[in-house]
Amino acid sequence: MAAEQTSTEYIAHHLTNWTFGHHPELGWKVAHDAAEAQQMGFMAIHVDSMLWSIGLGIFFLALFWAVGRKATSGVPTKLQAFVEMIVDFVDNSVRESYNGPSKLIAPLSLTIFVWIFLMNLMDLVPIDWIPSVAQWVGSLMGHDPHHVYFKIVPTTDPNITLGMAIGVFFLIIGFGLKYKGVGGFIAEFTLHPFSAKNPILQAILIPINLVLEIVTLLAKPISLGLRLFGNMYAGELIFILIALMPFWIQWALSVPWAIFHILVITLQAFVFMMLTIVYLSLISAESEH
């Protein structure tokens, strides 16, 4: 693939999603390039990101369901032992970081960790393998291979990472309303961090507190999503740049980077999970004031 394109075209092709949406002039269609995808704006969907994220989510659920259904109290299989190790690891992380009584946190944390890890893991698949298959299939269907885009790492798409972060944002609001009530939730944003016994001074501080707390609340999901996206996007870009080098250099660089990247993909899944637990623990904790 790299031999048929310039370096710039090769990089741009690998960083472009398979996009379907409504073009202001051409109607509903699959974008032929990044420019058409950009013109579609909000009325577009990244088909490849949705297919891989949903598919990996279904794979995770099916795998854990199958292991749970066949679990035995005797000598476990290697797969059961591996799944139990992951569950114990997540359960211990929740116990150490979450102080509330919610039964949702542990299953939620397990889902976040495993799902993000699986999506990140796709970054270790050689960069040209699956996109080349997609181009071959596209050519059989009469499409120009250069207009066939197929990214396989959902977490390199900010729409996916920010979408998950927005889900955490709504969980934060839901937990706040559940454990503090409407009045307590509003007080959390108007009477902190500055408070005063004088009613006049308190009235002056309320707008300041509201602005500070809203900025803090909004910063949580944004930083959560962008952190995951930025780290995974940078890792994918390095793999792409390595693929542009001569064959003998590719193996010399890609193998060490892939080994190091195993740590990165695991760490990013863990960080997303832990920050979610911490945010929910903070919002469900009793007020100190």
Side-chain angles (χ1 to χ4, degrees), residues 16-46 147 149:
T16 302
N17 286 93
W18 175 15
T19 307
F20 177 81
H22 186 269
H23 192 278
E25 297 178 358
L26 304 175
W28 292 96
K29 65 185 297 291
V30 174
H32 282 179
D33 50 38
E36 281 193 3
Q38 186 176 10
Q39 291 170 354
M40 291 175 180
F42 186 76
M43 299 299 293
I45 185 172
H46 290 169
H147 291 161
Y149 305 97

Side-chain angles (χ1 to χ4, degrees), residues 39-59:
Q39 291 170 354
M40 291 175 180
F42 186 76
M43 299 299 293
I45 185 172
H46 290 169
V47 181
D48 44 11
S49 293
M50 296 301 296
L51 286 175
W52 282 105
S53 59
I54 295 174
L56 290 170
I58 294 173
F59 171 76

